[in-house]
Amino acid sequence: MQIKELSRKSKKVLTPEKYEELVKKMKKEHEKPIKGMFEFLDAQGGWLDFCYRFFKDDPIYTIRLVHGEICELPLGIVKHLNNTKKKIRKFDTQIDGNARGVPKAYEVQSRIRFTPMDVLST
């Protein structure tokens, strides 16, 4: 058996010191605390439980957020929460007898939202 790897881009290899420096910079940005309000748009009045770990040497966090709760979370988790979306398929009103499969048009809606306090206070 023969395996060949073809790539047009040359791979950049970081030195371990440079890699550690970049990871430390990312961790500092990721752990910046943000105070805000959590909203669970799918189940208002409910709560959301999830486990989260971004860096391989971090512990696994189990987080429970309640709708309407004002709390302080790291920036990385806030970005993760605000990128949680669901796709809602749109069906045509005119059904073609020869059409098969799943409709390709869909709308993207946010399931949960974390709004920072500086946005809420203005």
Side-chain angles (χ1 to χ4, degrees):
M1 178 167 73
Q2 186 178 13
I3 299 174
K4 292 184 180 180
E5 181 180 342
L6 303 174
S7 63
R8 294 181 184 191
K9 296 181 182 178
S10 62
K11 295 181 180 179
K12 296 180 182 178
V13 179
L14 294 175
T15 62
E17 296 82 23
K18 185 73 172 171
Y19 176 78
E20 291 297 324
E21 181 184 324
L22 290 174
V23 168
K24 187 183 276 187
K25 183 179 175 184
M26 281 179 59
K27 274 188 179 184
K28 185 177 179 183
E29 180 184 330
H30 184 86
E31 293 172 352
K32 179 183 172 190
I34 304 286
K35 186 173 182 179
M37 185 173 73
F38 173 74
E39 296 176 83
F40 196 175
L41 303 175
D42 276 355
Q44 294 186 4
W47 69 87
L48 175 71
D49 287 332
F50 66 98
C51 296
Y52 187 79
R53 178 175 76 176
F54 191 77
F55 298 100
K56 65 181 179 182
D57 58 340
D58 282 350
I60 298 175
Y61 298 106
T62 301
I63 301 170
R64 171 176 249 178
L65 298 169
V66 180
H67 175 76
E69 177 182 26
I70 294 176
C71 56
E72 194 169 294
L73 293 173
L75 180 62
I77 294 176
V78 170
K79 286 181 179 179
H80 176 75
L81 290 174
N82 287 335
N83 285 330
T84 304
K85 303 191 183 315
K86 67 179 178 180
K87 293 180 182 179
I88 299 175
R89 294 187 177 133
K90 292 183 178 180
F91 293 94
D92 291 334
T93 55
Q94 299 173 347
I95 299 175
D96 183 12
N98 296 328
R100 296 186 310 209
V102 186
K104 299 199 189 282
Y106 60 88
E107 176 184 337
V108 178
Q109 286 186 353
S110 180
R111 298 185 68 213
I112 52 182
R113 178 173 44 216
F114 188 85
T115 310
M117 290 303 287
D118 57 349
V119 174
L120 291 174
S121 62
T122 58

